[in-house]
Amino acid sequence: MHLEQMRVTSKSLPQVAFPLEVRSARIWHYNFKSLEQISALQNLHTLVVATWPDMSFMPLAPLKSLKYLSVQHFPKVAELLPIAGLKRLETLCLSSLPSWDASGKTLLVNSLEPIAQLPSLKHLELLGVRTSDRTLPQRVKSMVLQSARFSKYRKSEIERFYAATGASDAFAPQPTFEATQLHNRSDR
């Protein structure tokens, strides 16, 4: 089942009657104060979010089945540690708003080491997301990394990363969503 929450005006993510049946979700430009309830969707394989409202990615920690994660804009989050526990994650796309990227603004994170610990990672995008020292991980645990794209890093640092990992400069694949869609009836 797919959960679709786009431009919802309510202040909280609605409770899902059967959270373990949800395999994909897109939560896009909404007024939610928190996404803590997302942690109940423990069989989620694909998650796409635009504007993460919380101070932490901790609601992601229980999502051990997650294979595809895309979060566009997370201005309150600096620590990526909860992502390190997503051992099945194959695609990770973290980005600032396109308007931020164009203006030179970035989202600062403490370390990229949690990403380097992902053993199944095939595709990585960090667009407008960087560390203060603008360095990419020296080593990546994934032996299957195929592609990586970066912005706001020195060209020499990106080239070093590609040489060390063998990854190409290709975009990550687009997400796939389950066919059966669940809508919140009160927001129709």
Side-chain angles (χ1 to χ4, degrees):
M1 190 176 307
H2 174 69
L3 174 65
E4 187 81 17
Q5 297 289 301
M6 294 185 74
R7 293 176 177 82
V8 177
T9 58
S10 67
K11 298 294 182 195
S12 62
L13 184 66
Q15 293 290 338
V16 176
F18 301 100
L20 297 181
E21 292 183 16
V22 178
R23 299 288 188 270
S24 64
R26 179 173 25 213
I27 304 170
W28 200 259
H29 299 297
Y30 49 86
N31 289 326
F32 304 149
K33 297 287 184 198
S34 175
L35 289 181
E36 286 182 28
Q37 305 94 316
I38 202 114
S39 63
L41 308 178
Q42 294 184 13
N43 290 326
L44 204 58
H45 292 176
T46 302
L47 176 61
V48 175
V49 177
T51 310
W52 187 268
D54 296 285
M55 300 285 288
S56 160
F57 280 144
M58 283 307 293
L60 297 173
L63 307 181
K64 302 298 184 194
S65 297
L66 205 57
K67 292 182 178 184
Y68 191 106
L69 175 61
S70 175
V71 181
Q72 182 185 81
H73 204 58
F74 47 97
K76 299 177 185 176
V77 177
E79 183 58 61
L80 300 180
L81 197 54
I83 290 174
L86 304 176
K87 301 298 184 194
R88 293 183 179 178
L89 200 61
E90 296 177 0
T91 302
L92 177 61
C93 304
L94 299 175
S95 64
S96 62
L97 290 172
S99 62
W100 274 37
D101 198 44
S103 70
K105 288 182 174 180
T106 58
L107 295 169
L108 286 177
V109 295
N110 295 337
S111 170
L112 297 177
E113 195 55 35
I115 293 171
Q117 299 304 312
L118 297 171
S120 302
L121 194 63
K122 294 179 182 178
H123 309 282
L124 173 63
E125 289 183 357
L126 298 175
L127 305 175
V129 177
R130 66 174 180 83
T131 58
S132 60
D133 64 0
R134 295 181 188 231
T135 59
L136 294 166
Q138 295 298 312
R139 292 189 172 168
V140 176
K141 192 172 185 178
S142 173
M143 300 301 283
V144 292
L145 189 65
Q146 298 170 9
S147 69
R149 291 192 60 87
F150 308 101
S151 70
K152 308 303 180 196
Y153 288 88
R154 293 181 301 277
K155 183 178 178 181
S156 61
E157 182 65 9
I158 295 170
E159 289 172 351
R160 182 208 53 81
F161 184 88
Y162 289 144
T165 63
S168 73
D169 180 21
F171 284 103
Q174 292 296 310
T176 55
F177 299 109
E178 294 290 315
T180 306
Q181 201 161 317
L182 173 69
H183 289 281
N184 182 9
R185 295 186 189 280
S186 65
D187 289 329
R188 282 190 176 170

